[in-house]
Amino acid sequence: MGTWDSMTMISQSGRLHVLRLFCVLFVIVSLATPCFAEETMAIIVNRGNPISGTSEELNHLVARIFLKQQKDWPSDISCRTYDREKDSLEHQQFVEHILKMSEGRLLAHWGKMKQVSGETPPRVIRSSSILLRFIAKHKGGIGIVKHEEVKKLPSSIKVLFTF
Amino acid sequence: MSRVVWCVGLPKEIQWSQSFFLSVLIMAWSLLLGFPSVGWTAESGTGFAEIEAQLESMQQRIESMRLRVDGLEHRNQDGAMNGSGDQSSKERYEELSERLEAQEDLSQELDEKVGSRAIVHAFDAMQLDFGGFLHSAFTHIHGDQGSASSFDRLTFEILLKAQFSRRFSAFFAQAFIRESNTRFTDTYQRTSPGFTFSGAGGVKTPLVIAWANYRHRDELNLQVGRYITPFGIINIEHFPAILLDTEQPQFLRPFSGDTIFPNFITGAQAHGKFFFNDDTLQYNVYTGVFTGSTPEQFYSGARAAYTVGTLGTTFGLNIGTGKRSLTTTAPDTTSVAKNATFYMYGVDVLIDKGPILWKTELFMTDEDKGAGGNRVGFYTQPAYRVSDQWIVFYRYDFLDDGKLQIVPSSGGPRRHTPGDSTEHVLGLNFLPVPNVRLRATATWKEFSSGRLGAPNANAQIFQLSGTFSF
């Protein structure tokens, strides 16, 4: 009888271990899930712009250009930056993931730029199709579109990177 | 056999009918039995031919059905193509609608902004941006011997940026100021607070900035005109709309002064930026004259600042040299010092990372003996962004002003310098909207050694200010 009880206890203990293991795995998987988040936005430029580089380099470059800290592309093409509406997903995702700042910090940046050197924020474009026309027209143009809009890009525009 | 016997005994009509039915039965049975014999005949050559004919007919029908199905499939495909065409048209329609809506919004906005008013054109600029700010402050000072209050600051400044071409631009800042300066009226300027107008009735209209810039590349810009001396952190930021405190650190006071170095100079500078992935190296090399001094006195210097992007930290090095035109009666000299040469060295560190905004600057001068003692200015100002609207900060600020009694050649109220002084400033910024900055600050000021015979003294200064920019 004692042997039976001990076997039962071992069996229950084993189940507990399995349950704990399952819980731990569940937590790990839950935490890991955001890593698989899909890229939803794309930075687009004129195809005549020969810019290239690693994702990290391009990320820093685009942030500097958008903030007008850098005014020329490395190929000496003058930058023409276009923003999207403040409430749009494109703008919000860009500020959060590329500029890595809050909307308030961004406004403070433009306030400082305006006072110190007279620089103003990029022009805001509401319609994707109008944005595409601008970027197709200007060699130094750069803008943000949703990932699903990439398939509609004309041949004169290319995707620099997605995020 | 029994049937025959049964028939023999019946009448003729009945016998006939029986025979008839019997024959019919026999015939029917014969016929029934005869079908198999017909089937068997089908196995002959004639039967196979019929089956083959039937199969052939079936095959023809199948072929005809297949052709019909193929036809239907083509039709379906055509239909599908027609459907995608509809889809494409729908997408194009939606795109055009979106563009039309955007254009309508734009024209509506323009109409609201412009309406029937005249549109301003620049003569020859590609782009003309116009802005400015209003800055106002109220100050209360409580000293060891009395108190004083005043609305001591009112500045209206217009900013104008003109872009002539891709490479040429110009920037202007014209100020209209009504202000009074804090002044302690006792002999040693430490105990009896008060205010005195600067300029005629406190009115000044300085052309603060007016430069033209040629941008060869981001790495090389050439600038001529009147510009902010590119030294340190706060002097470059300069404008009240972006400063946390109503008063700049002591070494930058008074406005347009040269306590450590001139706040503004008129001359030329080369400046630019080099980018290294997330880091940036910025430089300025400049020369010019300080408008508060005699026109022949040049001030020259250089600044290099390296920003480590990942740390959000900028380290700056500054050097400069120039001449001051001061009339001194310093305790250790009785001669008038004009064209006194001085050298200036400075370091600064700016941390701008997340909610932290921390500025620190240290500047020292090496003055000619005739110009009095060397000067030291130091402050450290940590600030915390509670949110995008609320910022709190503290500043420790020390100034050794050279232990001089100075009358600037440009005139003004500073007939004596107060000696060493330290300020502890505690402040709060509130930005209800990004263009409006409201401040409340409390300053504990300590006058310590630095002037012969001057007693130590304290003062408390409370300020409320607002800057409204557009």
Side-chain angles (χ1 to χ4, degrees):
Chain A
M1 195 65 182
T3 310
W4 176 254
D5 286 343
S6 61
M7 283 177 70
T8 309
M9 284 175 70
I10 289 166
S11 172
Q12 284 176 348
S13 164
R15 281 177 191 166
L16 278 173
H17 279 301
V18 170
L19 190 62
R20 280 177 193 160
L21 187 63
F22 176 78
C23 290
V24 168
L25 282 171
F26 179 77
V27 169
I28 290 168
V29 168
S30 303
L31 290 173
T33 302
C35 298
F36 301 107
E38 285 184 17
E39 291 171 332
T40 55
M41 299 294 160
I43 299 293
I44 54 171
V45 294
N46 188 294
R47 193 168 289 280
N49 185 345
I51 183 66
S52 63
T54 64
S55 177
E56 190 187 357
E57 286 168 352
L58 292 174
N59 197 319
H60 293 312
L61 175 67
V62 167
R64 284 198 303 266
I65 286 173
F66 184 87
L67 295 172
K68 293 197 176 177
Q69 293 165 337
Q70 183 170 344
K71 295 181 179 178
D72 291 330
W73 291 95
S75 53
D76 199 30
I77 300 169
S78 187
C79 301
R80 275 180 180 262
T81 317
Y82 300 105
D83 194 5
R84 307 307 298 273
E85 281 185 291
K86 187 182 167 185
D87 297 333
S88 69
L89 198 59
E90 291 95 324
H91 174 84
Q92 289 170 354
Q93 295 275 312
F94 182 78
V95 172
E96 185 184 346
H97 297 293
I98 303 299
L99 301 182
K100 298 179 176 64
M101 55 172 61
S102 68
E103 192 62 36
R105 291 285 305 282
L106 181 62
L107 290 169
H109 168 81
W110 290 122
K112 183 176 174 180
M113 292 292 278
K114 180 177 72 177
Q115 301 278 329
V116 172
S117 58
E119 294 294 347
T120 51
R123 183 175 171 181
V124 173
I125 306 290
R126 299 173 193 195
S127 157
S128 295
S129 52
I130 293 175
L131 174 68
L132 298 186
R133 289 168 74 92
F134 276 120
I135 294 177
K137 186 178 175 185
H138 300 294
K139 209 172 177 181
I142 177 171
I144 317 148
V145 294
K146 286 180 183 159
H147 199 264
E148 63 255 29
E149 291 172 316
V150 165
K151 61 188 174 191
K152 292 194 294 185
L153 292 182
S155 58
S156 54
I157 295 176
K158 66 180 178 183
V159 174
L160 192 60
F161 65 87
T162 57
F163 63 98
Chain B
M1 198 58 188
S2 60
R3 191 186 296 165
V4 174
V5 175
W6 177 67
C7 288
V8 171
L10 291 174
K12 278 186 181 177
E13 294 84 0
I14 295 172
Q15 284 180 0
W16 180 85
S17 63
Q18 283 180 343
S19 300
F20 175 74
F21 281 115
L22 187 61
S23 62
V24 167
L25 279 171
I26 290 166
M27 282 173 71
W29 190 36
S30 302
L31 282 171
L32 284 170
L33 291 174
F35 273 113
S37 63
V38 170
W40 280 109
T41 53
E43 286 177 357
S44 65
T46 312
F48 278 117
E50 283 177 4
I51 291 168
E52 281 175 357
Q54 283 178 358
L55 277 172
E56 196 176 339
S57 165
M58 289 292 287
Q59 281 176 345
Q60 283 174 354
R61 282 187 181 182
I62 288 168
E63 182 63 21
S64 132
M65 288 292 287
R66 194 180 62 76
L67 290 171
R68 198 172 167 189
V69 167
D70 284 349
L72 285 170
E73 278 179 359
H74 281 298
R75 275 193 193 177
N76 283 340
Q77 282 175 0
D78 290 344
M81 283 177 72
N82 289 336
S84 64
D86 291 344
Q87 189 65 25
S88 172
S89 301
K90 193 180 172 186
E91 281 179 7
R92 289 197 62 188
Y93 172 77
E94 284 173 356
E95 185 187 315
L96 285 170
S97 298
E98 184 196 339
R99 282 168 59 182
L100 184 63
E101 276 178 27
Q103 293 291 351
E104 280 178 349
D105 285 347
L106 189 64
S107 60
Q108 191 178 355
E109 257 186 32
L110 281 172
D111 189 57
E112 283 172 2
K113 285 177 182 172
V114 178
S116 58
R117 289 181 285 267
I119 299 171
V120 175
H121 292 277
F123 289 120
D124 284 310
M126 284 170 58
Q127 188 178 330
L128 188 69
D129 292 309
F130 177 73
F133 65 86
L134 175 73
H135 174 64
S136 183
F138 170 81
T139 302
H140 172 77
I141 309 171
H142 178 71
D144 285 350
Q145 294 179 353
S147 301
S149 300
S150 179
F151 284 94
D152 59 331
R153 293 269 187 283
L154 180 63
T155 303
F156 171 57
E157 199 157 319
I158 294 172
L159 309 175
L160 201 64
K161 168 81 179 285
Q163 190 75 38
F164 307 126
S165 68
R166 178 188 167 190
R167 300 196 186 279
F168 285 97
S169 62
F171 184 55
F172 311 93
Q174 172 65 51
F176 302 90
I177 300 170
R178 238 174 215 287
E179 68 175 10
S180 53
N181 291 329
T182 305
R183 188 182 177 194
F184 290 83
T185 55
D186 57 294
T187 305
Y188 297 106
Q189 299 181 56
R190 293 187 171 193
T191 57
S192 302
F195 293 89
T196 180
F197 283 127
S198 59
V203 178
K204 293 189 289 189
T205 56
L207 178 63
V208 182
I209 296 171
W211 51 249
N213 192 81
Y214 169 73
R215 183 171 60 85
H216 182 65
R217 294 200 58 162
D218 287 320
E219 293 84 359
L220 178 60
N221 286 249
L222 299 172
Q223 197 173 88
V224 293
R226 179 168 161 80
Y227 52 88
I228 293 171
T229 314
F231 251 90
I233 302 165
I234 286 186
N235 195 56
I236 292 174
E237 293 178 345
H238 166 76
F239 290 96
I242 50 178
L243 296 180
L244 297 178
D245 195 3
T246 304
E247 299 289 345
Q248 295 188 0
Q250 295 182 92
F251 76 91
L252 294 174
R253 302 178 208 161
F255 180 72
S256 291
D258 67 337
T259 302
I260 295 283
F261 57 82
N263 298 157
F264 304 92
I265 57 176
T266 302
Q269 71 163 323
H271 65 98
K273 291 177 182 174
F274 294 89
F275 302 104
F276 310 98
N277 206 2
D278 200 16
D279 296 355
T280 306
L281 173 66
Q282 186 173 356
Y283 74 91
N284 299 76
V285 181
Y286 58 88
T287 187
V289 295
F290 169 42
T291 49
S293 63
T294 58
E296 297 86 11
Q297 291 176 330
F298 275 78
Y299 178 79
S300 305
R303 169 180 168 79
Y306 191 84
T307 302
V308 183
T310 50
L311 300 176
T313 305
T314 301
F315 303 94
L317 289 172
N318 312 271
I319 54 169
T321 183
K323 292 182 182 299
R324 301 187 197 276
S325 180
L326 306 169
T327 302
T328 71
T329 53
D332 56 350
T333 178
T334 55
S335 63
V336 173
K338 287 185 177 177
N339 293 322
T341 302
F342 71 100
Y343 298 91
M344 196 279 295
Y345 316 94
V347 292
D348 55 82
V349 180
L350 168 66
I351 301 170
D352 187 356
K353 180 86 174 167
I356 304 296
L357 179 63
W358 195 331
K359 300 171 184 175
T360 302
E361 298 184 51
L362 169 65
F363 288 98
M364 294 178 290
T365 66
D366 181 6
E367 309 278 345
D368 270 358
K369 189 176 180 183
N374 300 332
R375 306 175 188 186
V376 178
F378 169 77
Y379 81 86
T380 183
Q381 180 182 290
Y384 186 82
R385 299 182 182 102
V386 180
S387 68
D388 286 339
Q389 291 186 308
W390 292 93
I391 306 170
V392 291
F393 73 94
Y394 164 79
R395 183 169 75 210
Y396 171 83
D397 185 359
F398 171 77
L399 176 68
D400 173 355
D401 63 6
K403 308 170 185 65
L404 294 173
Q405 296 172 358
I406 298 171
V407 179
S409 61
S410 58
R414 295 183 66 212
R415 301 189 62 81
H416 306 275
T417 62
D420 293 356
S421 63
T422 304
E423 287 184 356
H424 301 271
V425 185
L426 197 59
L428 180 67
N429 277 216
F430 173 55
L431 290 83
V433 294
N435 289 359
V436 175
R437 185 182 293 272
L438 306 175
R439 308 176 192 82
T441 57
T443 303
W444 287 265
K445 194 175 179 79
E446 298 168 5
F447 296 104
S448 54
S449 62
R451 291 188 65 189
L452 292 176
N456 288 353
N458 295 310
Q460 294 81 48
I461 304 167
F462 303 97
Q463 289 185 297
L464 296 172
S465 67
T467 308
F468 312 86
S469 58
F470 61 96

